[in-house]
């Protein structure tokens, strides 16, 4: 039996093993040694010797060194940092590149075609102009030795600072800081030896912790080589002008977007979106015609009247193709239809009719309506039908394209929170397609035909005995969505079965029942022809310094 004490010891042991494994396998800097030489010219030469432990194959390391510093007033100044060389412990040169990354000099060391592993040493030498601070009573090197941007820990960090030999050792003062940016901890040791100052961290530096030093010495021993004032783009005179222009432009665009467009779209519809005036056509059974006198197909008529090509229009074309001998319709059982191809598409058919016929029978000469899968082909049929109406001069531009532009605008407005524009663009965009004078005139004829089919009982009385009348206008009734109303006019008449249709039983043909079945098939056809959708980002170190202050700093990592 395990006692409670034994279980606790086991858990502690397992936790220790886990932490130990994590430490062993984590990347780290074994040693970070900075050799800093202050020249009488005011320049500073720095050599960083970094012993880096790789726990997996990498190409090398990168070192980021900021070149911007701030004084006590918050003004920014720019140091000039110039890389001199990057070598290994034997003095052999590494391959490296430099770049500007967020106001930092990035030195990227390594060959992109070679991998390294284990412990590697990198000696980075660079020269700094503007790294010293000048005060009324002393000069100073306030330098962030390691930087606080490393994402790996540093086991040991040291800095050796060499001053000009003209400086008396007793006049030199030093202080150091450790920890994260802003920390005033002094877990470090300073040793003054003549004109050389050695600084060493007394603690393990975790990621984003660093070592910062500040050394002061009397004036007159180094030349004044101050950093250049740095003015950000937004603070320059030309930057202010550009920002002001952009701000004004943005304000204008915002006004147009949130106020102007919601007012302009209704005005545009009133002046340019409404159809031209046309004389009212007499309600009768004539189909609209083209300029050359061709009667429009049911699909063209339906699209012209409501400016939208939908599945009723396409199904109406299917019925008329049957009447013209290209298709035979079989009602295999109640409300279920099978299409049989009788004739291939030819030059007599319009473009959209040929595409529809070929799409319906792409898998064979017989197809059940509920098994049809022609979603992509159906979209092509619709676009060809829109193009046909433009070609005939009924519209100057496809109504579908006009509406889609406004629907896209409504979508963008919704994303930007412009609810008013979303509503206006959607509602008025739907009615923005504009017919030509010819289109408006023939649309009036189409509306008259719809009125005749759906409401004119008296005028129909002397025509109702004509079988041809029922069949001729049936596809138009389908396109208008009133096929059941049209068939109701013939419910008491003994019409014979059309030769392009075969019923599922031998009972007498009933126009009403037939039209009702067709009505249900329009819904099945729409389902079969619609795509399926799944539901499933220069204060001094001696006047309140801290870790991460002064020049230098930055960080790095492996790549």
């Amino acid at each position: 039996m395990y006692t409670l004490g034994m279980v606790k010891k086991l858990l502690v042991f397992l936790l220790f093993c886990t932490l130990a494994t994590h430490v062993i396998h984590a990347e780290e800097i074994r040693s970070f040694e900075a050799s800093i030489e202050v020249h009488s010219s005011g320049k500073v030469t720095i050599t960083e010797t970094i012993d880096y432990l790789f726990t997996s194959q990498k190409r090398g390391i990168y070192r980021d060194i900021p070149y911007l510093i701030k004084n006590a007033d918050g003004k920014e100044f720019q140091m000039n940092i110039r890389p001199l060389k990057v070598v290994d412990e034997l003095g052999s040169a590494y391959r490296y590149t430099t770049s500007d990354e967020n106001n930092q000099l990035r030195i990227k060391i390594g060959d992109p075609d070679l991998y390294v592993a284990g412990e590697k040493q990198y000696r980075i030498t660079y020269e700094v102009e503007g790294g010293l601070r000048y005060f009324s009573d002393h000069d100073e090197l306030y330098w962030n030795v390691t930087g606080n941007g490393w994402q790996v820990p540093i086991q040991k960090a040291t800095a050796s600072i060499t001053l000009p030999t003209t400086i008396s050792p007793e006049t030199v003062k030093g202080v150091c800081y450790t920890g994260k940016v802003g920390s005033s901890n002094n877990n470090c040791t300073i040793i003054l030896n003549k004109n050389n100052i050695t600084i060493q961290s007394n603690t393990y530096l975790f990621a984003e912790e660093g070592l910062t030093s500040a050394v002061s010495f009397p004036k007159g021993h180094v030349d004044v080589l101050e950093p250049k004032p740095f003015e950000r783009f937004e603070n320059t005179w030309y930057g202010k002008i550009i920002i002001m222009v952009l701000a004004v432009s943005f304000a204008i665009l915002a006004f147009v977007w949130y106020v102007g467009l919601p007012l302009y779209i209704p005005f545009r519809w009133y002046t340019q979106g409404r159809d031209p005036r046309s004389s009212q056509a007499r309600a009768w059974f004539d189909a609209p015609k083209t300029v050359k006198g061709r009667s429009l197909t049911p699909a063209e008529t339906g699209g012209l009247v409501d400016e939208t090509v939908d599945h009723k229009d396409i199904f109406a074309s299917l019925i008329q193709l049957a009447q013209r001998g290209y298709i035979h319709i079989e009602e295999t059982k109640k409300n279920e239809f099978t299409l049989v191809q009788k004739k291939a598409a030819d030059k007599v058919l319009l473009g959209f009719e040929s595409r529809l016929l070929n799409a319906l029978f792409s898998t064979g000469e017989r197809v059940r309506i509920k098994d049809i899968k022609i979603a992509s082909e159906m979209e092509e049929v619709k676009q060809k039908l829109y193009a046909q109406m433009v070609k005939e001069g009924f519209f100057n531009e496809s109504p579908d394209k006009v509406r889609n532009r406004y629907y896209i605008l409504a979508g963008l407005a919704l994303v930007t929170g412009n609810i008013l524009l979303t509503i206006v663009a959607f509602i008025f965009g739907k009615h923005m397609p504009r017919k030509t004078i010819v289109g408006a005139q023939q649309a009036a004829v189409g509306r008259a035909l719809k009125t005749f089919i759906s409401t004119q009982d008296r005028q129909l009385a002397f025509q109702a005995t004509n079988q041809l009348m029922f069949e001729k206008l049936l596809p138009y009734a389908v396109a208008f969505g009133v096929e059941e109303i049209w068939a109701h006019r013939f419910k008491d008449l003994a019409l014979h079965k059309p030769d392009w249709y075969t019923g599922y039983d031998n009972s007498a043909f009933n126009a009403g029942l037939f039209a009702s079945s067709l009505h249900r098939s329009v819904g099945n056809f729409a389902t079969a022809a619609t795509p399926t959708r799944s539901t499933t980002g220069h204060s001094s170190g001696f006047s309140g310094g801290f870790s991460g202050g002064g020049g230098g700093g930055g960080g790095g990592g492996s790549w």
Side-chain angles (χ1 to χ4, degrees):
M1 295 293 291
Y2 291 101
T3 65
L4 181 60
M6 294 175 63
V7 172
K8 289 182 177 180
K9 290 180 180 179
L10 178 61
L11 290 176
V12 170
F13 175 75
L14 293 175
L15 178 61
F16 174 81
C17 291
T18 301
L19 293 175
T21 303
H22 176 74
V23 171
I24 290 173
H25 289 87
E27 279 190 3
E28 67 176 4
I29 296 174
R30 290 288 178 85
S31 174
F32 191 110
E33 298 180 3
S35 176
I36 305 172
E37 184 176 1
V38 178
H39 303 282
S40 57
S41 63
K43 296 181 181 180
V44 180
T45 301
I46 302 173
T47 297
E48 298 175 349
T49 302
I50 303 173
D51 292 335
Y52 199 99
L53 175 63
F54 298 94
T55 57
S56 61
Q57 286 192 335
K58 298 291 182 67
R59 295 176 176 84
I61 68 169
Y62 62 90
R63 175 75 169 100
D64 292 336
I65 308 170
Y67 53 77
L68 293 184
I69 53 178
K70 286 184 179 182
N71 65 7
D73 299 325
K75 292 183 179 180
E76 292 183 307
F77 295 83
Q78 180 175 347
M79 299 182 295
N80 181 24
I81 301 177
R82 183 166 62 92
L84 298 178
K85 61 180 179 179
V86 181
V87 299
D88 61 15
E89 64 274 14
L90 300 178
S92 300
Y94 277 113
R95 180 176 177 179
Y96 73 93
T97 60
T98 60
S99 60
D100 191 307
E101 302 284 340
N102 298 320
N103 297 323
Q104 297 185 108
L105 170 68
R106 169 165 290 187
I107 304 174
K108 190 175 183 180
I109 308 167
D111 191 325
D113 298 324
L114 297 177
Y115 287 90
V116 296
E119 187 172 338
K120 296 293 179 181
Q121 188 176 97
Y122 299 88
R123 294 180 183 175
I124 306 169
T125 302
Y126 54 95
E127 186 178 71
V128 180
E129 296 180 7
L132 299 177
R133 314 297 173 89
Y134 304 93
F135 298 90
S136 59
D137 59 345
H138 70 278
D139 295 335
E140 175 183 301
L141 174 66
Y142 183 24
W143 197 256
N144 186 349
V145 178
T146 60
N148 295 72
W150 290 96
Q151 299 304 307
V152 296
I154 302 174
Q155 276 196 12
K156 179 183 177 183
T158 61
S160 176
I161 303 173
T162 302
L163 301 176
T165 57
T166 57
I167 299 175
S168 300
E170 62 272 12
T171 61
V172 177
K173 296 179 182 180
V175 67
C176 59
Y177 307 97
T178 56
K180 292 184 178 294
V181 173
S183 170
S184 57
N185 292 332
N186 304 112
N187 294 323
C188 48
T189 301
I190 296 180
I191 301 175
L192 301 177
N193 182 15
K194 295 183 180 180
N195 66 328
N196 183 267
I197 302 94
T198 301
I199 301 174
Q200 178 176 328
S201 172
N202 297 332
T203 182
Y204 185 90
L205 299 176
F206 291 94
E208 298 183 353
E209 292 185 342
L211 172 65
T212 299
S213 66
V215 175
S216 71
F217 46 88
K219 296 187 68 64
H221 295 276
V222 295
D223 294 340
V224 176
L225 192 62
E226 292 185 330
K228 299 177 181 179
F230 178 78
E231 197 169 18
R232 294 185 180 271
F233 172 78
E234 60 268 22
N235 294 327
T236 61
W237 65 268
Y238 53 86
K240 292 178 180 178
I241 292 176
I242 293 175
I243 291 174
M244 182 179 67
V245 171
L246 291 176
V248 172
S249 300
F250 180 79
I252 293 174
L253 288 174
F255 177 82
V256 170
W257 183 251
Y258 288 96
V259 180
L261 279 177
L263 295 176
Y264 172 71
I265 291 176
F267 174 77
R268 179 178 177 81
W269 169 80
Y270 185 81
T271 57
Q272 302 181 40
R274 296 187 302 168
D275 292 339
R277 291 181 177 275
S278 62
S279 57
Q280 187 65 31
R282 186 165 62 95
W284 197 239
F285 52 86
D286 289 328
K289 291 181 172 57
T290 65
V291 175
K292 295 182 179 181
R294 175 181 67 83
S295 294
L296 297 190
T297 64
E300 291 174 297
T301 302
L304 177 62
V305 170
D306 60 14
E307 301 176 343
T308 301
V309 175
D310 53 28
H311 294 102
K312 296 194 303 294
D313 301 323
I314 305 302
F315 195 82
S317 282
L318 189 154
I319 300 297
Q320 194 178 61
L321 286 173
Q323 293 175 340
R324 294 162 66 182
Y326 292 91
I327 298 173
H328 188 81
I329 300 176
E330 295 180 359
E331 190 172 7
T332 53
K333 60 181 181 178
K334 189 175 182 180
N335 298 328
E336 286 195 10
F337 290 88
T338 295
L339 307 179
V340 182
Q341 185 175 17
K342 306 300 291 184
K343 189 167 60 171
D346 52 33
K347 295 182 179 180
V348 176
L349 298 180
L350 298 173
F352 74 90
E353 293 176 317
S354 295
R355 188 67 188 96
L356 173 61
L357 191 63
N358 292 332
L360 289 173
F361 300 103
S362 60
T363 59
E365 295 182 350
R366 293 180 62 89
V367 59
R368 293 191 303 174
I369 286 182
K370 68 177 184 179
D371 294 336
I372 294 174
K373 301 296 180 184
I374 54 172
S376 58
E377 294 89 345
M378 189 56 55
E379 184 59 30
E380 187 178 348
V381 171
K382 289 181 179 181
Q383 295 307 319
K384 285 183 175 292
L385 184 46
Y386 280 121
Q388 183 69 36
M389 291 190 288
V390 173
K391 178 182 178 181
E392 298 295 351
F394 299 138
F395 297 93
N396 290 322
E397 186 179 5
S398 168
D400 190 51
K401 291 182 179 180
V402 174
R403 280 190 296 269
N404 284 340
R405 284 201 296 268
Y406 285 91
Y407 292 161
I408 292 173
L409 180 63
L412 293 175
L414 182 62
V415 170
T416 58
N418 194 346
I419 304 302
L420 178 59
L421 180 57
T422 301
I423 297 172
V424 169
F426 184 81
I427 293 177
F428 285 90
K430 183 178 181 180
H431 302 284
M432 196 64 74
R434 177 184 173 90
K435 301 181 185 72
T436 62
I437 294 177
V438 173
Q441 291 172 343
Q442 295 307 309
V445 175
R447 286 191 295 270
L449 176 61
K450 180 179 180 180
T451 300
F452 170 79
I453 291 175
S454 57
T455 63
Q456 297 299 311
D457 295 285
R458 293 184 179 179
Q459 284 90 335
L460 183 61
F462 67 94
Q463 297 286 351
T465 56
N466 191 334
Q467 177 82 25
L468 294 178
M469 177 62 68
F470 171 74
E471 293 191 41
K472 175 185 176 182
L473 298 187
L474 178 62
Y476 292 93
V478 172
F480 294 137
V482 294
E483 63 273 12
E484 291 184 296
I485 297 176
W486 173 245
H488 184 72
R489 304 287 185 262
F490 298 83
K491 64 182 180 66
D492 297 326
L493 301 177
L495 300 181
H496 61 78
K497 179 183 64 177
D499 55 9
W500 44 268
Y501 162 76
T502 300
Y504 67 93
D505 57 20
N506 295 321
S507 59
F509 177 75
N510 183 286
L513 294 177
F514 175 63
S516 180
S517 295
L518 285 181
H519 182 76
R520 292 185 179 88
S521 292
V522 171
N524 294 335
F525 182 76
T527 301
T530 301
T532 57
R533 294 179 173 85
S534 60
T535 56
T536 13
H538 278 354
S539 64
S540 168
F542 291 87
S543 57
F546 54 86
S547 175
S558 62
W559 67 285

